[in-house]
Amino acid sequence: MTAVDSQPVGSYAIDMLAPNLSKAREDVPYGTLDLLILKTLETMGPMHGYRIARRIEQVAENLVRLNQGSIYPALIRLEQQGWIRTQWGVSETKRKVKFYSLTRAGLKQLGVELANWERTTTVVARVLEAKS
Amino acid sequence: MNLRWVLTRFVAQFRKRRLERELDDEILAHLELAESEAIAAGLSPEEAHREALRRFGGIAQMKEDHVDNRSVRWMENLVRDFRYGLAGLGRDPGFAAIAVGLLALGIGANTAMFSIVDGALLKPLPFPEPERMVRVWEAPTPTTRNGTTTLTFLDWKRQSDIFEALSVESPTRAAVETNGAPEALSGMEVSADYFNVFGVRPRIGRTFAAGEDQPGAAPVVVLSYSLWKSRFGSEPAILDRDLRLDGKPYRIIGILPPGSFDRQEAVYWKPLIFVPAQMNRLQHMFQVVGRLRAGVSLAQAQAKMNILRASLAGDLADWKDWTFAVDPFARALVGDTLRRSIYLVFGAVVIVLLIACANVANLMLAKGAGRRKEMAVRAALGAGRGRLIAQLLTESLVLCLLGGFAGVVVAQLLLRAVTPLVATSLPFTADVTLDLRVLGFAAAAVTAVLILAGLLPSLKTSYGKLSNALNLGARGSSGSTAAMRRMIVIGEVAISVVLICGAALLFKSLAKLQQVDAGVRIDHVITMSTDLPTAAYPNAASAVRFYDAVTQKLRWGAGVEQASVTQFVPLEGEPWGEGLNLPGTASFTVGLKPVDSWYFSTMQISLKSGRGIQDRDRVNTQPVTVINEETARYLAKFGVADPVGRTVNISLPGYGSIPESNVNVLIVGVIRSERTSDWQEPQRMVAYVPLSQVPQQHINLVVRTQIDPLALMAGIRKAVRQVDPNLALGNVRTMEQVKEQSTLWAKQPTWVVGAFAAVAALLAALGVYGVLAHAVTQQRREIGIRMALGARQGDVLLYVLRNALSMLLVGFAGGLAGSFALTRVLKNLLFNVSTLDPTALSIGCLSMALIGMLAAWVPAVRATRVDPTLALRDE
């Protein structure tokens, strides 16, 4: 398998690539992605990045086009917020990978996000149903 | 957005490589798993690989997002641009050396100068609660200040509700034994709570206790740190020793800490004991310092002193117009002239920095012009203008920071070299060091330089039609950059001209000052001070015996033409103001100069009428005086056509602690005026009295010699020792040195400003050279065409020189306009020279023109060497 592009191309220039060139598809917005990851970890327990991405894909039954890679930025953000923690483990292919699990703060945050989600959908539903 | 979040993102800068590696590992692992699942689902390895990548999404894309999420973007960019800037400078060491050198020079000189400004003018005094420190005076008029008398001082001291501490301060001198030869040391006689005024705790031992300034107290002395170090080798057991002053032992009770008191002339402090004979309200000879009680404001103190003055109206009836004044201590430290001089030099240094910045900006513009292609490629790859500007600005920041650090080193070196030279001109409280305040100024200077020298080139290099830069035919720099560089150089020349004209004016003023007639013989004359201790010379007669003996001994010395004794050194030594009363007509103040009968001939001051002081004027003969022309002129206003033969009433000081008395004195002669103090002040009125009639203990010997006076010092010392071996000679200076010292206040800033003007001119010339050299390179084709069409070498030379001249002329116009506006700041520092003096201004412009044309010469000559065939072929 080819080595991933880990050297900056041509010394410097590519690093300066500004707004991306492929936002054509509908990606899952970060806010929702956070919720999905937290929920997945709560349901399934500690998992590594690939597993989380596959799980979300499966559960959403490929209705949402998720770039699998896009969970990694979300994961580091969640880790920085203190809602998930990482542990080193071994993957199915005997490679060392990070395992992510929910923290107590993360559990609490999940509750908060769920509540927000409920509220948003309720409001939207009510507005859409309003007759007069 | 909590603290942990902020910190983690911040720290992520430094763990960058590790985080990136971890991400790469995760991606690899992810793709592996995806591939293996796809293979398990039946795809071929290549298909599985492709499918895994497809489902993953854009990798580079995601990595960017990852960076955005894990750390602070702008800081990442900053660190990266910074490293890139450093690498860029490393690739072009010539440019780096010149630019950093220019900035180091400019920032260094400014930092050093600011350290002086701060130490002398801005910093609070290095004492606790300095705003409570005051000086208390008697004020003959609301704006003048005078010392006070013993009784009045004691009245002030009783106001304990106003003053927490109050002390007199009286300079003194004494002879101290060193290896057989006595040495004159300067000291201060003070009250017991003197050091409480300054809030100074001794480093070793103690300062004076209450009562040690009363009659009968045991003699004690406090020493300065530098004296303890130099004379006693920092001996720890110092407190058991005595210091013999004029033969009398004083127990050393304390050593002061290092600092301000080392910068004073005084090296020892002893208590001033008022003897009963001194208790009067006549001799106003004491300066007073004090510390206000906590909570008492200056205004409140002044008000209370006014009340006190009113209550003393009866005792002070003879001085009914005099009041008491309380001034902040800091006020008297720096005079207007010194303040102006310091700010003037600071202005000159700032100008040099501006010119250095302009040169650096030009260098960066030139360099930036060669990077248009690079910028264009980056913009094409998606970098916004803001990003490009930020990158270029960061590279400038690298340069400025390097210049700043180098500048601080330069400043330290400059200060080390310069401080001993200016120490005597600055007040003793000036603590000139590179402290945090000065470093803060250096940081501000670096920021200013960044904006001045970095912003414009950054903006210019990143803007413009980048598509042009990518064209094959592009030759590097567009015309607009050259125009901007020209404008910058014209600006440089203009402010350089301002500085040069200012320097020219100052030099002319200094020359005029030095031409002022001193009124006395300067060459081959040497002066020295000595003090007759009361123990050995208890009365007037003993002092007069000494004067006669020592001058006779000196006159017999080899190589001595004439010798005399005077109380005050010519050209300095402000004589006391004493009251002179022309009975029934006028009453005014004159300077009183006790001299012996040989003074006028030693100093070669010519007699105008009557006679000088002669040997026959002794203590039991008619008291006489010789007045100077100024006094005669003044008396003429009151109808006294010929003052010789008139009797006036002068208050004359007594010997030692004997108070002054009014004496009827006969005017026997009028003498040509000699300069007594400041050169630019008008002549003072002076009355000379014979030392034999008005003897004094603190005197100066003046010796005129045939050969170099310093060579005769050994003989002079021997002669004095033969008269009295216990006397120490201090302050040995030739009259030339005395004259030098009295003009130092004008000389020092003038030469410094002159030096900076020269540097500014050189830098501006460098700027001219840079622009012209570049223009010649750019215009090679054009020059080639001209030559091919028949232009001779001389024509090409003129062409380039005309280019230079046009820049210089516009610069001059601006510079002269600036001079008209700015040199009025010099008005108070110029002596007999107008701020628009045409000679000085034209010398200034001509020097700049000369240097500018010299700078233009090299590119001009290079232009003549252009080979037309090569130039035309060159694309």
Side-chain angles (χ1 to χ4, degrees):
Chain A
M1 94 160 257
T2 58
V4 164
D5 184 24
S6 59
Q7 311 266 335
V9 168
S11 89
Y12 185 57
I14 296 294
D15 288 14
M16 287 186 62
L17 277 177
N20 59 83
L21 309 160
S22 65
K23 271 265 199 286
R25 297 189 274 170
E26 307 139 25
D27 289 326
V28 179
Y30 270 147
T32 329
L33 191 54
D34 287 0
L35 178 55
L36 295 176
I37 293 175
L38 290 175
K39 184 67 185 167
T40 306
L41 287 176
E42 190 220 15
T43 317
M44 304 291 294
M47 299 163 91
H48 59 71
Y50 177 72
R51 241 344 104 223
I52 299 173
R54 282 299 289 147
R55 165 84 182 161
I56 294 176
E57 266 185 350
Q58 284 161 2
V59 169
E61 284 179 301
N62 299 319
L63 284 177
V64 165
R65 248 171 270 159
L66 174 71
N67 277 340
Q68 286 175 351
S70 65
I71 60 159
Y72 290 104
L75 283 169
I76 194 130
R77 202 177 60 254
L78 290 174
E79 186 189 349
Q80 285 191 340
Q81 300 276 40
W83 296 332
I84 61 177
R85 74 169 77 85
T86 63
Q87 250 171 305
W88 285 102
V90 181
S91 74
E92 291 84 343
T93 55
K94 305 288 179 294
R95 196 179 262 278
K96 198 166 118 176
V97 284
K98 277 192 195 165
F99 275 79
Y100 298 91
S101 55
L102 208 56
T103 64
R104 214 197 337 247
L107 192 58
K108 208 162 54 160
Q109 181 66 16
L110 178 59
V112 169
E113 298 255 354
L114 277 173
N116 284 343
W117 184 257
E118 296 284 338
R119 208 177 315 128
T120 315
T121 46
T122 316
V123 167
V124 170
R126 213 176 284 168
V127 168
L128 290 177
E129 280 170 26
K131 284 292 173 40
S132 60
Chain B
M1 304 264 167
N2 54 11
L3 184 66
R4 178 210 146 101
W5 182 84
V6 167
L7 278 175
T8 330
R9 283 178 85 124
F10 183 76
V11 169
Q13 304 292 331
F14 307 99
R15 303 169 61 225
K16 199 169 128 105
R17 230 170 257 141
R18 207 186 98 183
L19 288 170
E20 275 184 7
R21 221 175 347 106
E22 282 180 4
L23 181 62
D24 286 341
D25 289 343
E26 274 195 288
I27 295 173
L28 272 174
H30 184 120
L31 290 173
E32 250 185 20
L33 286 164
E35 269 187 32
S36 63
E37 278 196 7
I39 289 173
L43 293 171
S44 73
E46 301 88 44
E47 283 174 346
H49 180 66
R50 267 202 305 270
E51 180 64 12
L53 276 174
R54 189 185 67 80
R55 303 190 87 174
F56 194 87
I59 291 179
Q61 188 54 50
M62 184 273 281
K63 280 184 157 191
E64 288 292 308
D65 275 348
H66 197 257
V67 172
D68 277 334
N69 273 291
R70 74 164 182 255
S71 80
V72 186
R73 194 41 143 170
W74 60 263
M75 208 179 288
E76 288 246 334
N77 289 341
L78 188 67
V79 171
R80 180 167 44 207
D81 291 340
F82 202 88
R83 286 215 188 101
Y84 191 67
L86 273 175
L89 284 181
R91 276 195 296 266
D92 195 352
F95 166 81
I98 296 178
V100 171
L102 283 171
L103 291 180
L105 173 70
I107 295 178
N110 271 278
T111 306
M113 194 56 214
F114 180 78
S115 170
I116 293 178
V117 170
D118 197 37
L121 301 174
L122 301 177
K123 260 201 299 217
L125 297 175
F127 305 116
E129 291 180 273
E131 64 281 356
R132 280 169 50 197
M133 289 169 61
V134 292
R135 276 195 187 274
V136 191
W137 307 93
E138 291 201 43
T141 73
T143 51
T144 54
R145 298 289 183 257
N146 206 334
T148 189
T149 62
T150 47
L151 286 179
T152 311
F153 168 70
L154 291 171
D155 283 328
W156 291 351
K157 202 143 163 93
R158 276 189 274 274
Q159 310 301 310
S160 53
D161 55 332
I162 310 178
F163 301 111
E164 184 179 295
L166 197 72
S167 166
V168 289
E169 211 181 37
S170 182
T172 181
R173 262 197 320 248
V176 177
E177 274 301 298
T178 343
N179 306 329
E183 187 192 337
L185 287 183
S186 294
M188 221 40 133
E189 284 187 306
V190 295
S191 309
D193 55 356
Y194 180 70
F195 292 108
N196 297 343
V197 170
F198 292 91
V200 170
R201 322 244 84 231
R203 187 184 172 88
I204 299 178
R206 63 175 180 89
T207 54
F208 306 121
E212 280 183 325
D213 56 358
Q214 301 303 316
V220 290
V221 72
V222 171
L223 303 184
S224 76
Y225 180 80
S226 59
L227 185 71
W228 176 52
K229 209 163 137 190
S230 61
R231 182 174 269 270
F232 294 95
S234 306
E235 189 192 315
I238 188 74
L239 296 182
D240 304 329
R241 311 241 328 226
D242 282 346
L243 185 68
R244 291 191 150 253
L245 302 170
D246 286 334
K248 192 170 157 200
Y250 286 78
R251 174 52 54 92
I252 300 173
I253 57 165
I255 307 290
L256 293 177
S260 294
F261 286 98
D262 291 327
R263 292 188 285 263
Q264 272 190 344
E265 217 185 304
V267 291
Y268 67 87
W269 288 263
K270 67 186 202 14
L272 177 59
I273 300 174
F274 291 153
V275 300
Q278 273 176 313
M279 298 298 209
N280 58 53
R281 296 201 198 261
L282 298 175
Q283 286 163 301
H284 293 79
M285 27 188 265
F286 297 108
Q287 296 206 6
V288 176
V289 293
R291 180 173 277 268
L292 295 175
R293 202 156 274 287
V296 176
S297 75
L298 199 66
Q300 287 171 328
Q302 182 66 62
K304 290 195 179 172
M305 291 297 270
N306 292 343
I307 295 172
L308 176 67
R309 176 67 182 83
S311 75
L312 290 171
D315 295 309
L316 295 170
D318 287 337
W319 291 274
K320 60 176 170 48
D321 292 328
W322 291 35
T323 56
F324 298 156
V326 181
D327 290 339
F329 184 81
R331 186 186 299 177
L333 284 174
V334 176
D336 278 338
T337 312
L338 181 62
R339 178 174 292 120
R340 282 197 198 106
S341 303
I342 292 178
Y343 279 131
L344 175 70
V345 175
F346 192 48
V349 162
V350 168
I351 287 182
V352 168
L353 180 63
L354 286 176
I355 298 181
C357 286
N359 272 349
V360 171
N362 263 353
L363 281 172
M364 295 210 286
L365 275 174
K367 197 154 184 267
R371 291 176 73 181
R372 305 306 288 301
K373 275 206 175 117
E374 182 191 331
M375 294 296 127
V377 168
R378 292 188 182 190
L381 286 173
R385 263 177 193 165
R387 186 73 195 86
L388 291 176
I389 294 175
Q391 182 206 335
L392 290 168
L393 213 52
T394 310
E395 289 176 20
S396 309
L397 180 66
V398 173
L399 205 57
C400 292
L401 281 177
L402 284 175
F405 283 124
V408 169
V409 173
V410 168
Q412 177 74 321
L413 293 173
L414 276 176
L415 279 180
R416 204 171 291 171
V418 156
T419 315
L421 296 172
V422 296
T424 47
S425 314
L426 298 177
F428 76 100
T429 51
D431 185 23
V432 175
T433 53
L434 281 182
D435 57 8
L436 279 176
R437 288 165 66 110
V438 174
L439 288 177
F441 171 82
V446 165
T447 314
V449 166
L450 179 65
I451 295 173
L452 281 172
L455 194 61
L456 193 63
S458 300
L459 287 173
K460 192 84 181 88
T461 309
S462 57
Y463 270 71
K465 282 200 125 178
L466 296 169
S467 53
N468 290 344
L470 288 171
N471 285 343
L472 279 172
R475 238 180 276 120
S477 90
S478 62
S480 60
T481 313
M484 187 170 292
R485 295 175 62 202
R486 228 180 129 77
M487 295 285 285
I488 291 179
V489 166
I490 290 177
E492 274 185 63
V493 170
I495 53 179
S496 176
V497 164
V498 171
L499 186 55
I500 295 175
C501 287
L505 285 171
L506 284 171
F507 272 109
K508 186 158 180 191
S509 165
L510 181 65
K512 286 242 161 135
L513 199 66
Q514 289 177 320
Q515 282 164 7
V516 171
D517 191 5
V520 297
R521 171 81 179 261
I522 299 286
D523 63 292
H524 290 99
V525 178
I526 192 160
T527 72
M528 59 218 78
S529 67
T530 192
D531 310 288
L532 305 177
T534 319
Y537 298 88
N539 53 35
S542 55
V544 175
R545 272 197 299 274
F546 172 79
Y547 305 148
D548 291 335
V550 80
T551 47
Q552 209 178 53
K553 251 290 172 351
L554 285 172
R555 228 169 283 127
W556 282 111
V560 173
E561 283 185 354
Q562 195 55 273
S564 102
V565 185
T566 168
Q567 180 161 30
F568 298 106
V569 175
L571 287 192
E572 51 169 62
E574 189 83 23
W576 300 318
E578 299 288 356
L580 185 146
N581 185 25
L582 185 64
T585 318
S587 182
F588 51 93
T589 313
V590 292
L592 195 74
K593 272 193 90 157
V595 298
D596 74 355
S597 46
W598 305 98
Y599 179 76
F600 295 138
S601 75
T602 308
M603 301 310 299
Q604 293 184 328
I605 308 175
S606 50
L607 197 60
K608 289 292 169 189
S609 70
R611 66 167 178 87
I613 293 175
Q614 291 169 350
D615 267 342
R616 58 170 150 132
D617 300 308
R618 308 303 294 179
V619 65
N620 45 9
T621 64
Q622 163 75 41
V624 296
T625 181
V626 174
I627 57 175
N628 71 354
E629 284 178 308
E630 278 302 307
T631 321
R633 261 195 285 268
Y634 192 74
L635 285 174
K637 287 196 207 150
F638 294 94
V640 179
D642 183 15
V644 177
R646 298 291 292 257
T647 304
V648 291
N649 187 282
I650 310 183
S651 62
L652 297 176
Y655 182 77
S657 50
I658 298 171
E660 24 182 73
S661 49
N662 283 329
V663 178
N664 283 328
V665 178
L666 181 68
I667 300 178
V668 294
V670 178
I671 198 110
R672 194 160 163 273
S673 296
E674 62 162 328
R675 276 267 153 213
T676 44
S677 54
D678 291 339
W679 292 86
Q680 74 275 37
E681 300 286 322
Q683 287 280 27
R684 287 196 57 178
M685 292 190 284
V686 179
Y688 299 83
V689 289
L691 263 174
S692 48
Q693 293 178 345
V694 188
Q696 298 297 314
Q697 285 174 291
H698 300 284
I699 51 168
N700 287 282
L701 303 175
V702 188
V703 182
R704 179 155 52 85
T705 62
Q706 283 164 347
I707 59 174
D708 174 31
L710 285 168
L712 290 175
M713 265 319 287
I716 293 175
R717 283 190 201 273
K718 192 153 151 234
V720 175
R721 260 206 306 278
Q722 282 174 348
V723 179
D724 183 345
N726 295 319
L727 289 183
L729 293 178
N731 252 343
V732 177
R733 291 171 295 168
T734 63
M735 275 309 292
E736 275 146 355
Q737 288 170 329
V738 171
K739 186 177 175 193
E740 179 83 15
Q741 278 176 3
S742 66
T743 51
L744 211 58
W745 62 269
K747 245 187 171 197
Q748 275 180 344
T750 304
W751 278 97
V752 172
V753 171
F756 283 130
V759 170
L762 279 172
L763 289 179
L766 265 175
V768 168
Y769 167 83
V771 164
L772 279 178
H774 194 258
V776 163
T777 314
Q778 287 309 109
Q779 290 171 350
R780 291 182 68 212
R781 261 180 124 213
E782 194 182 323
I783 296 172
I785 293 174
R786 282 176 183 234
M787 290 184 104
L789 287 177
R792 289 162 309 205
Q793 288 205 328
D795 297 327
V796 173
L797 200 72
L798 275 177
Y799 171 67
V800 175
L801 287 179
R802 253 209 316 269
N803 192 359
L805 198 61
S806 67
M807 272 197 296
L808 288 173
L809 283 176
V810 178
F812 289 162
L816 281 174
S819 292
F820 291 161
L822 294 176
T823 47
R824 81 178 53 161
V825 100
L826 288 176
K827 198 157 47 118
N828 287 313
L829 291 168
L830 293 177
F831 177 67
N832 271 353
V833 173
S834 134
T835 53
L836 299 177
D837 185 85
T839 327
L841 292 182
S842 39
I843 289 180
C845 289
L846 279 174
S847 359
M848 185 70 231
L850 195 64
I851 300 178
M853 292 312 271
L854 276 173
W857 192 255
V858 174
V861 166
R862 212 149 33 89
T864 61
R865 302 243 177 87
V866 166
D867 186 344
T869 44
L870 285 177
L872 286 169
R873 214 179 294 156
D874 199 24
E875 272 298 286

